[in-house]
Amino acid sequence: MERDLAKTTKYFGITRPTLIKLMREKGLLNDKKLPAYPHRDREYLSIKNGQWWHPDFGMQYSQSTRVQQAGLRWLAEQLGLEMPEIPATPDRRDVA
């Protein structure tokens, strides 16, 4: 499962600008908010390529950073963030 930076900030309980600032300070993001080392960090961060048609300007292209599921713990370690407690899900098979 991939998360964009906005969903990742909700997971850590911080704002998007704060996450971007921390990632840039650690050298994880470049000036375009994309992974600075996409090959090295490919297990944790990825780039999503998007495209859409604009009636006046033709085909438009975009790129955005995605955080992989394994990247959440890695990112917390890199940036010194707290990992939130994940509540235990009750087992449906438990019957009183």
Side-chain angles (χ1 to χ4, degrees):
M1 181 170 102
E2 295 181 331
R3 299 170 192 251
D4 61 11
L5 294 180
K7 289 181 183 173
T8 303
T9 59
K10 289 179 184 176
Y11 180 80
F12 288 119
I14 60 176
T15 64
R16 187 172 178 268
T18 302
L19 178 65
I20 292 170
K21 179 183 171 210
L22 291 171
M23 290 178 76
R24 281 188 174 155
E25 287 173 355
K26 274 295 206 178
L28 301 176
L29 290 182
N30 63 19
D31 59 339
K32 295 180 181 179
K33 300 179 193 156
L34 297 173
Y37 302 97
H39 187 69
R40 180 192 74 183
D41 300 333
R42 69 183 175 273
E43 293 180 23
Y44 311 113
L45 303 174
S46 63
I47 298 174
K48 179 183 179 206
N49 294 307
Q51 62 185 25
W52 69 94
W53 178 259
H54 189 280
D56 295 330
F57 303 112
M59 189 60 74
Q60 301 293 302
Y61 300 93
S62 67
Q63 291 184 313
S64 61
T65 297
R66 301 291 188 205
V67 178
Q68 306 293 333
Q69 185 66 31
L72 293 174
R73 181 171 302 282
W74 175 81
L75 202 54
E77 292 171 2
Q78 295 291 315
L79 304 178
L81 299 173
E82 292 285 327
M83 286 288 292
E85 291 289 329
I86 300 173
T89 55
D91 191 348
R92 298 178 311 162
R93 298 172 291 184
D94 288 339
V95 193

